[in-house]
């Protein structure tokens, strides 16, 4: 593929392939479609693997909708796959895609939503842990929360892979959940340990009791 399409440089992470491509004219879209067809063919022939063309996603900015360079207009040039009796083509995404766990795209809100979805899953885990506190004991519950659900560890990848303008709100929410669990296991009131960290609190530090 590198020999035939030298201008296309795919990035591979584990079994995922990402293909950053510059589109300036329609022939570039046609050439990308040919790359995808060759990728599918080589995956089957050389690796004995199905590339699942119906699961391909093409990320393109909203600004190109209904223009000559709108990839959706040429979607039938790309490889397709029969699924449950229906021919499926790749999906054109306008907001953001999750690449190696991190939101990538042209829409800041969509990227933040990818982080928030992971934060919500973390919130569910912490709620379960909170309900199990009487069974586990406060010390064990606090240790589980600190070492298995600590936001600075579980969302480290998100913090490093996104600008603060994208990640700040979801990660602050993750910190609030951790503070809530800590108050539960230590029987501490919200006015003693607030959700917002001191250095991020515009009202100033919490007064010592």
């Amino acid at each position: 593929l590198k020999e035939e399409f030298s201008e296309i440089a795919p990035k591979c992470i584990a079994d995922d392939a990402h293909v950053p491509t510059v589109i300036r004219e329609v022939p570039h879209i046609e050439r990308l479609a040919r790359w995808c067809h060759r990728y599918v063919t080589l995956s089957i022939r050389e690796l004995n693997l199905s590339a699942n063309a119906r699961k391909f996603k093409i990320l393109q900015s909203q600004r190109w909708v209904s223009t000559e360079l709108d990839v959706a207009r040429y979607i039938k040039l790309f490889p397709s796959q029969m699924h449950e009796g229906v021919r499926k083509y790749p999906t054109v995404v306008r907001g953001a895609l999750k690449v190696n766990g991190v939101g990538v795209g042209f829409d800041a809100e969509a990227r933040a939503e990818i982080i928030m979805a992971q934060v919500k899953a973390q919130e569910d885990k912490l709620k379960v842990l909170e309900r199990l506190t009487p069974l586990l004991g406060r010390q064990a519950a606090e240790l589980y929360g600190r070492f298995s659900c600590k936001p600075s560890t579980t969302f480290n990848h998100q913090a490093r892979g996104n600008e603060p303008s994208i990640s700040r709100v979801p990660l602050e929410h993750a910190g609030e959940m951790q503070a809530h669990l800590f108050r539960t296991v230590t029987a501490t009131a919200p006015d003693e340990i607030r959700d917002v960290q001191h250095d991020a609190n515009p009202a100033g530090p919490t007064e010592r009791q």
Side-chain angles (χ1 to χ4, degrees), residues 22-72:
V22 177
I23 302 295
R24 292 194 176 95
E25 51 191 36
V26 173
H28 292 160
I29 299 176
E30 296 169 344
R31 190 159 172 79
L32 175 61
R34 289 199 297 274
W35 187 97
C36 291
H37 277 284
R38 288 287 289 140
Y39 177 79
V40 170
T41 301
L42 288 169
S43 295
I44 296 171
R45 191 182 72 199
E46 304 295 339
L47 302 175
N48 195 30
L49 293 174
S50 172
N52 289 326
R54 64 185 171 86
K55 294 184 178 180
F56 286 8
K57 291 182 173 59
I58 303 172
L59 179 65
Q60 188 182 43
S61 173
Q62 187 75 27
R63 62 177 290 199
W64 298 107
V65 172
S66 300
T67 69
E68 184 185 17
L69 297 182
D70 185 353
V71 175

